[in-house]
Amino acid sequence: MVSKIIKQVLLYALAVLLLIFTGVPFLAMVNSSFKDQLEFMQSPWSLPDAITLENYAYLLETDFITYFGNSVFVVTISVIITIFLSAMAAYPLARLNFKLNTPIFVLFLVGMMIPIHTTLVPIFQLTVGMGLYDTLWALIGPYVAFALPVSIVIFRQFLRELPKELEESAQIDGCGHFMLFWKILFPLLTPAIATITIYNFIIMWNEFIFALVLTNSPGNATLPLGLRDFQGDFSVNVPGMMAALTLASVPLLLIYFFAQEKIVKGIAAGSVKG
Amino acid sequence: MSQYGNDSTADTTYQEKPEVKSREKKRRDRKTGWVIFGFLAPAMAFYFLYVVFAIFMTVYYSVFEWSGIDDDMNFIGFQNYLTMFADGAFWQSVGNNFLLVFSSLFTQLPLGLIMALMLFSPIKGIRFFRSIYFMPFLMSTVAIGILFTYIYDPTYGLVNEFLRAVGLGNFTRGWLGNEATAIWAIIVVVIWQFAPFYMILFRAAIVGIPEDLYEAADIDGATPWQRFTNVTLPLLMPTIITSSILSVIGALKYFDLIYVMTGGGPNNSTHLMATYMYDHAFSHFNMGYGSGISFSMFIIALIATIFILWFDRRRKGEF
């Protein structure tokens, strides 16, 4: 079957073409991060003659560690708050009947389509007014607020699928709503919590515009903001810049290799309901 | 809370049975009401402060001439909107936004679909392919912007090096410094970044298509192309609709990439509404005007969403 072979060849050709399209920029980045400056000047995109780690060592002398630490701090706190608030909010929306149930849920859904720029000036004013401007705390409010809609959608979906008997048996035991939620339902949410943690981690780790508007001094910069500053400082040291970009992506790549399915679930759940 | 409880139990002793029940129910409802409030309040507080309240404030600020960094607010009615309608650079940014919306719809979605279909084809090591295909989505947009600034660099950039290597040296140029090519160079990066996202969405949807539909199609002697147009595509329609909404909204929100790669230049040719708004509000400190632009973004996003949903309704009605 000649036509079958041709088909196979075309299929592989397309697959490899897509592989080049998606993979090469990434490969070029990691590749040039292992070169010294001189070699980069001579042949920027070839494989390195000898792998050098000097670019990575140099990063340790810069503010990179500060930026990295700031990002970890802001993202960790924001994700934890998001988990608790959205899980709590999802409980009545998923399992209790009340008049405002649908309107409130729709209100959160609408949040998924709002361009965040519409809120930028007021949030800037609010942050200045609260005395949080140019602190890492300034970022937590907006990060949580804009993470809530997707997280509530995922938790609500998950809570709806838990059996109704959980409530009934809890009521027989004389367990109130708070006890029922914290002691029985919340521990069952672990898979959803993992999905939401990972999904929000990726988005918050990469967040740029709130950090740009709400902080100012380098000591309070998160990683994306710091990378932008590096772009000026490293304009002649391209391999150094590439090392910074590579290192900034490492946490996400680690998450990806260990929890691919969770990311996929987060994306699917966050959008199917749109 | 407990006060209500005491009142109603005191009363109920004198009532007939059905009345007792409804009183009892009311008391429980009121208690449940407080419970619901308790669960929802913390999330609502964040959401109202940073989203709902902020949108109203944007509308409010947009009728002032105001730097945003002092108290000198000058009420000027709709003047900001009138200025905007006469502002050529604003319309350029709107045009770029629409260019981005259409290129997103007609390249990212099809490419994402092709990539998703590839994942189901008989290729060895498809897991490896999938892992690489998805990687662009994981990088921060800022990192992508910086990376591609180097890839497009006029002297040592990967694109020009490649063109020289294959004998197309005449086509080399400063892709981002040239008004004619800058926005297209950026659009390619946007496609690169987001096609994998739609690949994941489509893949999830294709997994959900029942196998017996394909079996039935095979019994009817369907060709692979017929299988695709008669089974896969119709069943993917809901996903295509939601993806369209996401991609349109996403295109209206783009900011990071432009900000890092060109800052809206050369000569305003790559501004999007978001970067143009940022420029006015936070670089030139004209927050009144900036608020006008950002409220327009909100309205356009709203209209776009409603339009797609309406389109979906009509499609369902006709089939």
Side-chain angles (χ1 to χ4, degrees), chain A residues 3-224:
Chain A
S3 74
K4 206 167 188 184
I5 292 172
I6 292 175
K7 255 185 211 160
Q8 275 298 95
V9 170
L10 284 177
L11 199 62
Y12 273 93
L14 185 60
V16 171
L17 202 69
L18 286 171
L19 196 70
I20 292 171
F21 179 65
T22 49
V24 160
F26 208 80
L27 201 67
M29 172 180 87
V30 178
N31 183 46
S32 43
S33 76
F34 290 121
K35 292 180 180 177
D36 59 36
Q37 261 173 275
L38 187 70
E39 197 194 340
F40 183 84
M41 286 303 184
Q42 283 157 355
S43 59
W45 308 101
S46 62
L47 287 174
D49 293 334
I51 287 179
T52 168
L53 292 175
E54 68 177 47
N55 299 311
Y56 290 93
Y58 176 67
L59 280 182
L60 301 180
E61 297 166 23
T62 65
D63 281 336
F64 190 86
I65 302 293
T66 312
Y67 303 149
F68 200 94
N70 286 346
S71 273
V72 170
F73 176 81
V74 171
V75 172
T76 307
I77 294 183
S78 304
V79 167
I80 291 173
I81 297 178
T82 303
I83 296 285
F84 280 104
L85 296 197
S86 56
M88 281 172 66
Y91 168 63
L93 293 175
R95 295 183 83 91
L96 296 175
N97 278 320
F98 57 101
K99 236 186 264 165
L100 288 174
N101 190 321
T102 313
I104 290 176
F105 183 60
V106 169
L107 187 70
F108 278 115
L109 274 186
V110 170
M112 287 162 78
M113 58 129 300
I114 288 169
I116 53 166
H117 307 88
T118 305
T119 64
L120 214 51
V121 171
I123 287 179
F124 169 76
Q125 296 297 342
L126 190 70
T127 306
V128 172
M130 290 192 294
L132 292 177
Y133 178 71
D134 199 21
T135 66
L136 291 173
W137 300 101
L139 302 179
I140 291 167
Y143 284 10
V144 170
F146 280 93
L148 285 174
V150 177
S151 311
I152 288 175
V153 167
I154 297 175
F155 272 135
R156 176 175 170 272
Q157 183 69 21
F158 199 87
L159 278 165
R160 287 190 133 190
E161 284 160 11
L162 296 177
K164 202 81 194 145
E165 287 79 44
L166 288 170
E167 261 106 332
E168 284 158 16
S169 65
Q171 256 157 17
I172 292 166
D173 293 347
C175 207
H177 285 285
F178 283 96
M179 282 273 274
L180 166 73
F181 178 73
W182 292 115
K183 291 263 150 90
I184 299 170
L185 296 179
F186 194 73
L188 292 174
L189 288 177
T190 317
I193 292 172
T195 305
I196 290 169
T197 302
I198 290 167
Y199 186 72
N200 286 322
F201 184 94
I202 295 174
I203 290 178
M204 291 173 187
W205 187 260
N206 291 335
E207 203 285 331
F208 180 63
I209 191 161
F210 280 126
L212 178 67
V213 168
L214 301 181
T215 65
N216 189 29
S217 48
N220 291 323
T222 55
L223 211 42

Side-chain angles (χ1 to χ4, degrees), chain A residues 7-8 11-12 14-16 18-19 21-26 28-29 40-41 44-45 81 85-86 88-93 96-98 104 107-127 130 132 138 140-142 144-146 148-149 152 177-178 181-182 199 202 205-209 212-213 224-225 227-228 231 234-235 238 241-242 245 249 252-253 256-257 260-261 263-264 267-268 270-274, chain B residues 32 34-36 38-40 42-44 46-55 57-58 61 66-69 111 114-115 118 121-124 126-151 156-159 161 188 191-192 195-197 200-201 203-204 224 242 245-246 249 252-256 259-261 274-275 277-278 281-282 285 287 290-291 294-295 297-298 301-302 305 309:
Chain A
K7 255 185 211 160
Q8 275 298 95
L11 199 62
Y12 273 93
L14 185 60
V16 171
L18 286 171
L19 196 70
F21 179 65
T22 49
V24 160
F26 208 80
M29 172 180 87
F40 183 84
M41 286 303 184
W45 308 101
I81 297 178
L85 296 197
S86 56
M88 281 172 66
Y91 168 63
L93 293 175
L96 296 175
N97 278 320
F98 57 101
I104 290 176
L107 187 70
F108 278 115
L109 274 186
V110 170
M112 287 162 78
M113 58 129 300
I114 288 169
I116 53 166
H117 307 88
T118 305
T119 64
L120 214 51
V121 171
I123 287 179
F124 169 76
Q125 296 297 342
L126 190 70
T127 306
M130 290 192 294
L132 292 177
I140 291 167
V144 170
F146 280 93
L148 285 174
I152 288 175
H177 285 285
F178 283 96
F181 178 73
W182 292 115
Y199 186 72
I202 295 174
W205 187 260
N206 291 335
E207 203 285 331
F208 180 63
I209 191 161
L212 178 67
V213 168
L225 214 54
L227 289 179
R228 205 266 327 237
Q231 200 187 7
F234 281 53
S235 55
V238 181
M241 186 73 234
M242 294 297 176
L245 294 180
S249 307
L252 299 183
L253 292 178
Y256 179 56
F257 285 114
Q260 232 178 84
E261 280 313 308
I263 300 177
V264 169
I267 291 176
S271 57
V272 171
K273 308 296 163 322
Chain B
T32 316
W34 281 107
V35 169
I36 290 168
F39 274 102
L40 280 168
M44 297 281 270
F46 269 84
Y47 191 71
F48 268 92
L49 187 60
Y50 284 100
V51 182
V52 181
F53 171 71
I55 288 170
M57 287 313 281
T58 293
Y61 291 149
W66 182 40
S67 71
I69 43 176
L111 189 60
I114 290 172
M115 285 160 79
M118 291 299 289
S121 59
I123 289 178
K124 274 197 192 120
I126 197 64
R127 283 180 64 89
F128 167 74
F129 282 90
R130 192 181 77 187
S131 300
I132 304 295
Y133 286 178
F134 188 62
M135 272 177 21
F137 184 70
L138 284 177
M139 277 182 81
S140 83
T141 312
V142 172
I144 290 173
I146 295 171
L147 175 61
F148 274 87
T149 309
Y150 292 117
I151 288 178
Y156 55 75
L158 186 61
V159 174
E161 290 272 320
V188 170
I191 294 168
W192 181 81
F197 174 77
I200 294 294
L201 284 186
R203 176 175 164 267
T242 43
I245 296 178
L246 289 175
I249 301 300
L252 291 171
K253 283 195 226 179
Y254 283 131
F255 174 87
D256 306 5
Y259 182 84
V260 171
M261 289 179 77
T275 55
M277 172 261 157
Y278 175 86
F282 294 98
F285 292 104
M287 293 203 186
S291 297
S294 59
F295 185 61
M297 289 174 65
F298 174 76
L302 194 68
T305 311
L309 290 175

